[in-house]
Amino acid sequence: MEEPMLGDLSKFLTPENLAALIRVALMLGIGFPLLITIAALVGRTARKRLTPQSSMLAKKLILYLGTVLLLIMVLSQLGFKLTALLGAAGIAGLAIGFAAQTSVSNIISGVFLIGERPFEVGDLIKVGDTLGTVLSIDLLSVKLQTLDNQFVRLPNAMLIGSTVVNITRFPIRRLDINVGVAYKEDVSHVRRVLFGIARKNPYCLDEPEPLVLFTNFGDSALEFLFGVWFAKADYLT
């Protein structure tokens, strides 16, 4: 049994095949580390000139295209005919396209999200009951990190069809607090106390100035809206 196996192996390990295997090993051993290094450099350079979202997409684009080109070169060295391979890939792609309509919908939605830019990497957004910081915006989905440190993946098609609240889009925000005050209290005194609280709080902005509005006669209290402005970086604080 050993002699036929050795004979078959010797037929396979011809000088031409050995040279092709060495070239493939060099391509993979040098190509992938080089590709990762180039993608990292592109991402670092793009981060200085573009938004975090655009730099992340540029880095992934380099990685995906580079990997495809490297695989084509490896297959060519191994003797695969690329015309037949591309034909088979086209047929397979057509079948996958019919079977993956949801993915296609997510990709189209992702293109709209990237073009419209309702939020960017690092923004705090709310979708339905989900509140979290945007980690990445990809062609298929958006990844969030919730405030209690959970990872959430939201399909792009869902975001296109839902109401998305970007909490940190603008540089400042207003926090509204409902305050109930007994009917016997002096309204002018209530306003002075609330404005005094806002002035003493280091996170409250003087401009725009705080807001104190009477809103309603409650069943057991006068109801006021107390609104204070703050920088978006201090949202959680």
Side-chain angles (χ1 to χ4, degrees), residues 3 5-6 14 26 60-61 70 76 94 106 115 130 152 165 167 177 184 204 207 217 231-232 234-235 237:
E3 291 183 358
M5 289 178 64
L6 292 174
T14 61
L26 290 174
K60 289 184 177 181
L61 185 62
L70 193 58
S76 178
L94 187 61
N106 285 326
T130 303
V152 179
V165 180
I167 295 173
I177 304 171
K184 66 178 182 178
C204 295
E207 183 62 36
F217 290 99
K232 72 174 183 180
D234 298 327
Y235 174 76
T237 307

Side-chain angles (χ1 to χ4, degrees), residues 134-153:
V134 179
L135 297 177
S136 68
I137 305 171
D138 301 322
L139 287 178
L140 289 176
S141 63
V142 171
K143 281 83 172 179
L144 302 181
Q145 180 183 13
T146 62
L147 300 183
D148 56 351
N149 206 30
Q150 296 186 59
F151 177 83
V152 179
R153 177 185 178 275

Side-chain angles (χ1 to χ4, degrees), residues 8 19 35 65 69 109 115 173 180 204-205 215 218 233:
D8 294 338
L35 180 60
L65 291 179
L69 290 175
S109 300
R173 280 200 63 213
C204 295
L205 300 177
T215 57

Side-chain angles (χ1 to χ4, degrees), residues 1-193:
M1 293 294 293
E2 294 181 358
E3 291 183 358
M5 289 178 64
L6 292 174
D8 294 338
L9 187 60
S10 62
K11 290 179 181 179
F12 175 75
L13 295 178
T14 61
E16 293 79 6
N17 289 343
L18 284 174
L21 290 175
I22 292 173
R23 287 195 295 270
V24 168
L26 290 174
M27 285 180 183
L28 295 177
I30 298 175
F32 272 120
L34 184 61
L35 180 60
I36 293 173
T37 302
I38 292 174
L41 289 174
V42 169
R44 195 176 301 119
T45 303
R47 199 177 300 120
K48 298 177 182 178
R49 302 181 180 181
L50 304 174
T51 63
Q53 171 188 339
S54 300
S55 62
M56 187 181 298
L57 288 174
K59 180 179 178 180
K60 289 184 177 181
L61 185 62
I62 294 294
L63 278 175
Y64 294 156
L65 291 179
T67 301
V68 171
L69 290 175
L70 193 58
L71 290 177
I72 290 176
M73 293 170 63
V74 168
L75 291 175
S76 178
Q77 289 296 324
L78 293 176
F80 287 92
K81 293 183 179 180
L82 295 182
T83 53
L85 187 64
L86 291 175
I91 297 174
L94 187 61
I96 292 173
F98 282 113
Q101 295 182 14
T102 302
S103 296
V104 174
S105 175
N106 285 326
I107 291 174
I108 295 173
S109 300
V111 172
F112 281 113
L113 285 175
I114 294 170
E116 187 181 356
R117 294 173 60 185
F119 49 81
E120 297 180 354
V121 174
D123 281 341
L124 183 65
I125 67 172
K126 183 177 182 181
V127 184
D129 296 330
T130 303
L131 176 68
T133 303
V134 179
L135 297 177
S136 68
I137 305 171
D138 301 322
L139 287 178
L140 289 176
S141 63
V142 171
K143 281 83 172 179
L144 302 181
Q145 180 183 13
T146 62
L147 300 183
D148 56 351
N149 206 30
Q150 296 186 59
F151 177 83
V152 179
R153 177 185 178 275
L154 299 176
N156 289 334
M158 170 188 170
L159 290 170
I160 288 293
S162 303
T163 299
V164 179
V165 180
N166 190 337
I167 295 173
T168 54
R169 176 64 176 264
F170 302 111
I172 63 173
R173 280 200 63 213
R174 194 180 75 194
L175 174 66
D176 291 339
I177 304 171
N178 294 315
V179 180
V181 180
Y183 274 97
K184 66 178 182 178
E185 298 296 336
D186 181 4
V187 174
S188 299
H189 177 65
V190 171
R191 290 175 58 86
R192 286 195 300 271
V193 170

